[in-house]
Amino acid sequence: MVTSLRPAAASQTSYDTTTLAGKLASVNNTPGLLITLSGFLQQEADMSDQNTNPTPNTAITPAHVLNSTFDGTTVQSPDVTVNQDTAAATQNEPTIAVDPNNANRIVAGSNDYITRTWSCMINGTPCSALGDAYSGSYYSNDGGQTWCCIATDPQHLGTLIPGVERLTGGIYDAGGDSNVFFDNHGNVYFTGLGFDRTQAPNTVTLSKGTFDTSGNLHWGPPTFIGQTKSPSTLNDKPWSTSDNNPTSPFYGRIYVSWTRFIFNPSNGATNNHQ
């Protein structure tokens, strides 16, 4: 990880950096700091979606799926729909990778809000109320003509990345900010974030996916990188790749980079970023 430090000007304002909203306010109010949180974390810092639901036991049910800005409600050939849910869950910030050994095999990642549409219940609370942005993925074995799969509940995750967010068996409220890439052996990797919106814990995540002989994608458990519970640290903007040059002395090595924001533990002011 390359480090670049920029001292923050003295601040008389205090920020609650246990929350994403407090961290965002600190960063945005730091004079001379030329970067801010990723668009994804800025969106997640907005807590307006946590307002009281007038129908708390009902998942969202839009009238139609808005897939195209050109025709409004449908996708016309040669375009195809990658996300397979039919309840109009939001997916954004897509990333895509092609297997270097099989041009017909494609994996896409996104911030996936499909859990907000789940109708299941956990201890009397609807899954849709527990859901948030999750680490989503889809795959195609025919050059992008058809895609798999859909996640419907915690026991049927489809190709949601397992083990990061709570409804997938993980420990974080939310996740995403995805990046996907292949190595030269046909393995695919997903890099993203895991975090709580109103509490301090956050991490960078790395998951490895493999394809079986039938072409089905299976994700393994995540590796947490830079995991922290400190309100003074925020991991953001992960990116990753592998060295696929067979002549390289580092052939097969995986590289993960990210931005780490450091906050003053006394008043929450942004000290620097790395």
Side-chain angles (χ1 to χ4, degrees), residues 77-82 84 104 106 140-147:
S77 180
D79 296 337
V80 298
T81 302
V82 174
Q84 297 301 297
N104 285 322
I106 308 171
S140 172
N141 286 311
D142 57 11
Q145 295 304 302
T146 59
W147 292 82

Side-chain angles (χ1 to χ4, degrees), residues 91-107:
Q91 290 86 23
N92 57 34
E93 296 190 329
T95 179
I96 196 165
V98 179
D99 187 339
N101 300 311
N102 180 356
N104 285 322
R105 178 163 289 166
I106 308 171
V107 175

Side-chain angles (χ1 to χ4, degrees), residues 16-273:
D16 179 8
T17 54
T18 59
T19 69
L20 275 181
K23 289 181 171 75
L24 176 62
S26 174
V27 170
N28 285 350
N29 290 326
T30 299
L33 189 62
L34 302 181
I35 67 169
T36 187
L37 305 190
S38 62
F40 172 55
L41 286 192
Q42 290 188 57
Q43 174 181 293
E44 287 289 290
D46 182 352
M47 298 299 294
S48 59
D49 65 315
Q50 299 296 304
N51 292 338
T52 301
N53 184 351
T55 56
N57 294 321
T58 303
I60 60 173
T61 54
H64 62 263
V65 180
L66 183 60
N67 286 314
S68 171
T69 57
F70 298 104
D71 58 28
T73 61
T74 61
V75 173
Q76 300 293 329
S77 180
D79 296 337
V80 298
T81 302
V82 174
N83 57 295
Q84 297 301 297
D85 68 274
T86 59
T90 298
Q91 290 86 23
N92 57 34
E93 296 190 329
T95 179
I96 196 165
V98 179
D99 187 339
N101 300 311
N102 180 356
N104 285 322
R105 178 163 289 166
I106 308 171
V107 175
S110 71
N111 308 324
D112 198 336
Y113 292 80
I114 191 170
T115 56
R116 287 291 182 86
T117 72
W118 287 356
S119 59
C120 54
M121 303 286 289
I122 296 180
N123 297 325
T125 301
C127 291
S128 59
L130 299 171
D132 207 307
Y134 273 43
S135 305
S137 72
Y138 305 91
Y139 70 92
S140 172
N141 286 311
D142 57 11
Q145 295 304 302
T146 59
W147 292 82
C148 184
C149 293
I150 182 171
T152 57
D153 58 62
Q155 284 70 48
H156 303 88
L157 292 179
T159 48
L160 277 181
I161 302 299
V164 177
E165 305 89 0
R166 299 189 194 282
L167 291 179
T168 66
I171 60 175
Y172 295 97
D173 291 342
D177 212 8
S178 58
N179 171 229
V180 294
F181 63 96
F182 278 90
D183 64 20
N184 267 359
H185 304 290
N187 302 307
V188 63
Y189 298 84
F190 182 106
T191 309
L193 299 173
F195 58 92
D196 295 348
R197 297 168 75 181
T198 59
Q199 300 295 326
N202 65 94
T203 190
V204 175
T205 73
L206 176 68
S207 299
K208 179 181 178 180
T210 57
F211 287 86
D212 62 27
T213 55
S214 298
N216 300 307
L217 174 59
H218 304 276
W219 289 106
T223 297
F224 294 148
I225 306 170
Q227 190 175 22
T228 181
K229 296 181 180 180
S230 171
S232 63
T233 303
L234 178 65
N235 299 301
D236 194 11
K237 305 179 183 179
W239 199 255
S240 51
T241 190
S242 64
D243 186 342
N244 288 341
N245 182 358
T247 65
S248 170
F250 307 110
Y251 178 58
R253 182 172 293 184
I254 294 173
Y255 298 89
V256 179
S257 66
W258 68 97
T259 299
R260 175 175 291 165
F261 292 91
I262 306 297
F263 302 90
N264 188 313
S266 298
N267 60 12
T270 304
N271 285 346
N272 58 63
H273 66 281

